[in-house]
Amino acid sequence: NAGVMQNPRHLVRRRGQEARLRCSPMKGHSHVYWYRQLPEEGLKFMVYLQKENIIDESGMPKERFSAEFPKEGPSILRIQQVVRGDSAAYFCASSPGVQGGLLETQYFGPGTRLLVL
Amino acid sequence: LAKTTQPISMDSYEGQEVNITCSHNNIATNDYITWYQQFPSQGPRFIIQGYKTKVTNEVASLFIPADRKSSTLSLPRVSLSDTAVYYCLVGDKGAGNKLTFGGGTRVLVKP
C-alpha cells in the first residue's frame, strides 16, 4: 500500500509564475490536508479537504492560493503569481476519515520544496 | 487551541533514554496529546497519542500526569537514526482535525 505521494518533489518558479503541487492520498483515504513549512519552523496548517469539498481553509492566504480535491485524481494546491515569500516546503497529509473522538492520525507525504527566484 | 511549550533542542548519546517534556497548561477536556517525529527533508510521522496516564507502543511511551498540563515523550535506548525534530500537539476532533505544530524539539543523538 503506497503512502502519500507528492509531486514534484522540487519545483523552481520565477516570480509571477504559477505553481501547481499535486498530492495523491493513501489508498482508502478520503481526507487531505495541506501544510506549509518555512525553514527552521514547524508546519502551518493551510487547508483541509474531502472529495469535492473544502472543509476548512482557515490557514490559506486569501489571495493567490487555492486548493481542490476532485472526485477523480489527486489533490492540487495552486499558487498563482508566486512571490519569493512563497518559497517553502509544502506537505500534504491524508487520513481515512473514520468517525470517533480521537484525532485521526495523519499520514504525511515527502513534501514539495518550492523555490521562487 | 491549547498552546504547547517544549525545549528547543536536546542532545543525547546512543543507547540512552530521551525524555521530552511538553507543557500545555490550557489543555481542554476533549483534547488529546499527540507526538510526531520529523526527519530532515521528510514529512512528519505519527509516533504516539494519549489522553491520560501512560501509553506505550513499539516506538515510545507517553506519560501524562493526572492534571494533564504536561506530557513526557520517552524514547528508550535511542540510536543515531532517532535524530529528528519531535513535535507535541494538543487538540480534538472538534478543531476540524487540523494539526497545530509548534517549534518542536530538535533531538541530536551522538555516537
Side-chain angles (χ1 to χ4, degrees):
Chain A
N1 186 11
V4 176
M5 300 179 70
Q6 291 187 248
N7 69 82
R9 294 291 307 276
H10 300 273
L11 182 62
V12 180
R13 286 287 179 266
R14 296 191 179 279
R15 281 179 296 170
Q17 292 184 321
E18 178 180 284
R20 280 185 176 238
L21 288 60
R22 295 174 185 78
C23 169
S24 296
M26 286 182 70
K27 186 177 181 181
H29 285 191
S30 59
H31 294 205
V32 165
Y33 316 80
W34 286 93
Y35 295 82
R36 176 164 63 176
Q37 184 173 35
L38 296 173
E40 306 301 319
E41 294 187 11
L43 284 73
K44 297 288 190 287
F45 168 81
M46 298 180 75
V47 63
Y48 166 28
L49 311 103
Q50 296 177 20
K51 287 282 187 181
E52 300 185 283
N53 277 312
I54 296 176
I55 306 302
D56 181 351
E57 56 182 348
S58 58
M60 286 277 273
K62 293 289 185 281
E63 298 178 349
R64 301 187 298 108
F65 285 72
S66 63
E68 62 177 8
F69 188 18
K71 186 176 180 181
E72 301 291 337
S75 175
I76 306 287
L77 178 67
R78 183 182 176 204
I79 311 172
Q80 295 178 290
Q81 299 174 325
V82 295
V83 300
R84 288 208 173 121
D86 296 332
S87 295
Y90 292 83
F91 290 97
C92 167
S94 72
S95 69
V98 174
Q99 294 299 317
L102 283 173
L103 266 177
E104 285 189 298
T105 297
Q106 294 185 16
Y107 297 84
F108 284 80
T112 293
R113 278 144 191 86
L114 173 66
L115 175 62
V116 179
L117 301 177
Chain B
L1 293 173
K3 178 179 167 60
T4 60
T5 302
Q6 49 183 127
I8 294 174
S9 64
M10 298 178 70
D11 287 357
S12 184
Y13 291 91
E14 282 188 290
Q16 289 188 333
E17 179 181 81
V18 171
N19 296 306
I20 309 171
T21 297
C22 177
S23 298
H24 27 79
N25 291 316
N26 297 323
I27 190 168
T29 303
N30 295 332
D31 285 343
Y32 284 77
I33 300 154
T34 311
W35 287 80
Y36 278 78
Q37 172 192 55
Q38 185 178 25
F39 297 114
S41 301
Q42 294 187 26
R45 184 176 72 115
F46 171 88
I47 300 176
I48 197 165
Q49 184 179 79
Y51 184 80
K52 61 180 179 181
T53 62
K54 177 184 175 182
V55 180
T56 297
N57 61 23
E58 64 278 5
V59 176
S61 294
L62 179 60
F63 299 91
I64 307 168
D67 66 5
R68 305 201 324 124
K69 292 185 183 300
S70 66
S71 59
T72 298
L73 175 73
S74 180
L75 306 171
R77 297 179 299 280
V78 293
S79 63
L80 296 177
S81 62
D82 292 316
T83 292
V85 178
Y86 293 82
Y87 294 98
C88 165
L89 292 84
V90 174
D92 71 10
K93 187 124 188 199
N97 221 29
K98 65 186 177 188
L99 301 179
T100 301
F101 289 82
T105 297
R106 191 173 300 272
V107 173
L108 174 62
V109 180
K110 302 174 182 177

